[in-house]
Amino acid sequence: MKACFMGLGYIGLPTAIIAARSGVDIVGVDVNPKVVEMTNKGKLHIIEPGMEELLQEMVATGKLKASTKPEVADAYFIVVPTPFKGNHKPDISYVEAATKAVVPFLKDGDLFVIESTSPVGTTEHIAKQIFAARPELEGHIYIAYCPERVLPGNVIYELVHNDRVIGGMTPEASDKAVEFYSQFVTGQLHKTNARTAEMCKLTENSSRDAQIAFANELSFICDKAGINVWELINLANKHPRVNILQPGCGVGGHCIAVDPYFITAEFPEEAKIIAQARETNNFKAQWCAEKVKSTMLQFELDRGRKPQVAMMGLAFKPNIDDLRESPAKRITAEVMQSFNNADIMVVEPNITEHKVFKLTHFEKAYEEADIVVFLTAHNEFKTLEWRDDKVILDFCGIFKK
Ligand SMILES: NC(=O)c1ccc[n+]([C@@H]2O[C@H](COP(=O)([O-])OP(=O)(O)OC[C@H]3O[C@@H](n4cnc5c(N)ncnc54)[C@H](O)[C@@H]3O)[C@@H](O)[C@H]2O)c1
C-alpha cells in the first residue's frame, strides 16, 4: 500500500512516519522545499522527542520519501494548515489547494482523507471540488474526514494509542479509512459520518475553551470578592461530580484558541456559550495586562521610584517552547509598550533566545524584580520560594496564594 501525505508539519510528518513504520510506503508532500530537503536527509524540522530517529530509519529503509509534488498512490491525506482570516472566518484555501494538487492522480478505489481541523461541511465541499474536476470518479473513490487529537511532545505514543473518530462520506468510506488507520492505531476507531467527525474535533477544543473560561470568570469574581480562587476551586472540586479547571492568563496555542471560531463563524445565532468563552479567555489576557500596569503605577506612587518588573513565562502553556497565540507573550508586549520598554525582565526557560524579547534567567529575574508576574506555570518557577518583600501577581497558580 502506498500513501501520499499532503503537508509535513506537526501532524502530517509524524503520522506519515508512524504509517511508514507499520509498512505503508509513504510519499510526503510539502510546498516548502526546505521541509522536503530536510525530511529526505532524515532531519526533523519540527520539535518532537524520539521522532527524528524514526524518520532516519524510515528514510534509510526507503519507506518514506518527501517531494514537493504528489504521486500516484492508494490513499491521500490532507494535513495542511486551516487558520482563520482577519474576521475569525475559517480559511480552507490550503485544503482546497492540496486537494487540487492530488486530483489528477486519483483513480478507482482510492482513499482520500482530510485530517486538517475543518469547519462543518468541508469534506462535502471538497468532494464536490473533486467530482467537478473528475466526474467519472463519483461513487468510485472513498472520501473521509479523520481529525487528529495528539498532544505535542507525546506524539509517538498518542498517534498509536489514542482513539480516533472516522467520518466517512459513506459507510464504505468509513470502513476503508478504518482499514488504513488500523495498520498503526491500537486505540479504538469510532465510525461516524463526515459532518459529525468535523464537529467532533471542534467540539473537543471548544469544550476545553469553555471550561477554562469558567475558571477565568471565577478568577474575575474572586478578585472583586476578596476570595482566593485557587482555594475556592480546590474546595469546590471536593464535590464528587465537580471538576473545575484552573484559571490562567488566557488561552493560547493554535487549536483551543482557534477552533471554536470555526463553529461561531457558521452558527453565530446558536453558539452563544462558545463565543462568550472565546471573549472571556481573550479578555483575561487584557485584564492581566491592566493589573500589571496598575500595579506598576501604584508601586511608583508608593515608593517614589519605578519598579523593576519580571514577566515570568512566554509559552502558551507550561513546560513547552511554543509561543503561538500565547496570551503570556501578548501581555508582556502590551505592558512593555505601555511603559516605553521600561525596566522589564522577560523570562522563558524553554527557549534560548527570542527575536523581540531579551531573555533573563528565571532565578536572576526573581531575585532582582520588585514586581514578579507569573504568566505560565513552568516547573522551574515552582522551585522558587514565596517572598514577602516582592509584589507577586500570580496569574497561573504558582503559589496559589
Ligand atoms: N499541531 C497540532 O497539535 C494539531 C493537533 C490537531 C489538529 N491539528 C490540525 O492539523 C492541521 C495541520 O496542522 P500542523 O500543526 O501540522 O500544521 P503545520 O503548519 O505544522 O504544517 C502544515 C504543513 O503543510 C504545508 N502545506 C501548506 N500548504 C500545502 C499544500 N498545498 N500542499 C502541501 N503542503 C502544504 C506547510 O508548508 C506546512 O509544512 C491543521 O488543520 C491543524 O489545525 C494540529
Side-chain angles (χ1 to χ4, degrees):
M1 159 141 222
K2 182 170 169 186
C4 177
F5 275 74
M6 301 297 291
L8 296 177
Y10 278 89
I11 298 299
L13 184 54
T15 312
I17 293 169
I18 299 293
R21 187 175 64 168
S22 73
V24 183
D25 288 311
I26 302 284
V27 55
V29 178
D30 205 289
V31 289
N32 183 342
K34 215 171 145 219
V35 167
V36 170
E37 194 189 318
M38 281 183 76
T39 304
N40 280 330
K41 285 185 182 154
K43 292 208 171 101
L44 201 69
H45 75 98
I46 54 168
I47 298 165
E48 186 56 45
M51 199 58 86
E52 188 162 82
E53 292 79 349
L54 279 182
L55 171 64
Q56 282 165 3
E57 210 182 308
M58 293 309 119
V59 171
T61 54
K63 286 310 278 180
L64 186 149
K65 65 171 184 178
S67 170
T68 51
K69 296 268 178 306
E71 305 181 350
V72 171
D74 307 302
Y76 296 85
F77 295 82
I78 307 295
V79 205
V80 295
T82 39
F84 57 69
K85 301 177 210 163
N87 50 2
H88 290 146
K89 296 259 186 278
D91 177 3
I92 62 161
S93 61
Y94 296 86
V95 177
E96 291 171 335
T99 302
K100 193 170 172 210
V102 303
V103 160
F105 298 92
L106 291 172
K107 58 184 177 350
D108 271 20
D110 281 354
L111 173 66
F112 176 94
V113 175
I114 301 172
E115 283 203 7
S116 298
T117 303
S118 300
V120 172
T122 301
T123 312
E124 286 163 13
H125 168 78
I126 292 295
K128 279 190 194 135
Q129 181 189 332
I130 293 172
F131 299 136
R134 301 278 310 277
E136 78 283 8
L137 288 176
E138 196 152 3
H140 296 282
I141 60 169
Y142 302 95
I143 301 177
Y145 179 76
C146 180
E148 184 46 68
R149 39 164 74 136
V150 290
L151 180 72
N154 196 28
V155 169
I156 295 180
Y157 179 87
E158 294 208 357
L159 264 176
V160 173
H161 292 89
N162 286 357
D163 283 14
R164 288 189 85 124
V165 175
I166 311 255
M169 288 282 292
T170 58
E172 295 74 27
S174 294
D175 291 341
K176 190 90 172 167
V178 164
E179 205 182 298
F180 178 82
Y181 285 104
S182 57
Q183 295 178 96
F184 61 92
V185 177
T186 59
Q188 282 189 45
L189 300 170
H190 305 273
K191 288 187 244 177
T192 180
N193 58 48
R195 290 176 81 80
T196 309
E198 288 160 347
M199 187 62 185
C200 188
K201 172 70 190 171
L202 305 180
T203 300
E204 289 159 17
N205 285 337
S206 299
S207 160
R208 296 284 293 169
D209 198 43
Q211 289 177 59
I212 297 167
F214 182 76
N216 279 334
E217 185 165 299
L218 287 177
S219 75
F220 301 140
I221 297 167
C222 287
D223 184 69
K224 253 195 186 160
I227 293 169
N228 178 325
V229 69
W230 312 101
E231 185 193 3
L232 172 81
I233 291 175
N234 181 39
L235 291 173
N237 283 347
K238 302 289 180 207
H239 184 292
R241 285 166 295 283
V242 172
N243 186 14
I244 304 167
L245 300 184
Q246 303 291 296
C249 69
V251 169
H254 48 286
C255 285
I256 298 181
V258 173
D259 299 354
Y261 291 123
F262 287 18
I263 300 178
T264 58
E266 300 209 11
F267 307 98
E269 290 303 314
E270 296 78 12
K272 299 289 188 224
I273 292 176
I274 296 170
Q276 185 56 52
R278 280 287 63 241
E279 274 189 31
T280 301
N281 288 331
N282 284 339
F283 177 67
K284 183 67 192 274
Q286 215 180 309
W287 184 88
C288 291
E290 292 308 318
K291 278 261 172 212
V292 179
K293 289 193 261 177
S294 59
T295 306
M296 287 169 74
L297 291 173
Q298 192 60 49
F299 184 98
E300 198 174 343
L301 279 176
D302 293 346
R303 316 259 181 116
R305 66 172 175 89
K306 290 188 191 308
Q308 276 258 27
V309 179
M311 304 296 278
M312 308 289 276
L314 286 176
F316 79 82
K317 67 178 181 179
N319 309 320
I320 58 165
D321 62 354
D322 194 340
L323 312 189
R324 287 182 287 180
E325 313 287 327
S326 170
K329 190 175 71 178
R330 230 168 34 240
I331 295 164
T332 301
E334 158 81 28
V335 171
M336 288 180 85
Q337 267 166 20
S338 300
F339 285 87
N340 247 338
N341 295 337
D343 212 355
I344 293 177
M345 290 174 283
V346 179
V347 174
E348 180 40 73
N350 296 295
I351 56 175
T352 49
E353 56 181 359
H354 189 273
K355 58 183 188 307
V356 175
F357 305 112
K358 183 173 165 287
L359 301 175
T360 302
H361 190 271
F362 75 100
E363 281 168 336
K364 179 177 171 356
Y366 193 57
E367 187 56 41
E368 292 180 4
D370 302 300
I371 299 175
V372 185
V373 184
F374 286 103
L375 297 165
T376 314
H378 292 313
N379 285 342
E380 287 86 348
F381 303 161
K382 293 182 181 166
T383 64
L384 299 167
E385 303 254 323
W386 175 269
R387 293 262 302 258
D388 281 330
D389 59 330
K390 297 188 182 294
V391 181
I392 295 179
L393 296 176
D394 183 4
F395 295 127
C396 57
I398 297 293
F399 298 110
K400 302 199 187 301
K401 286 205 178 196

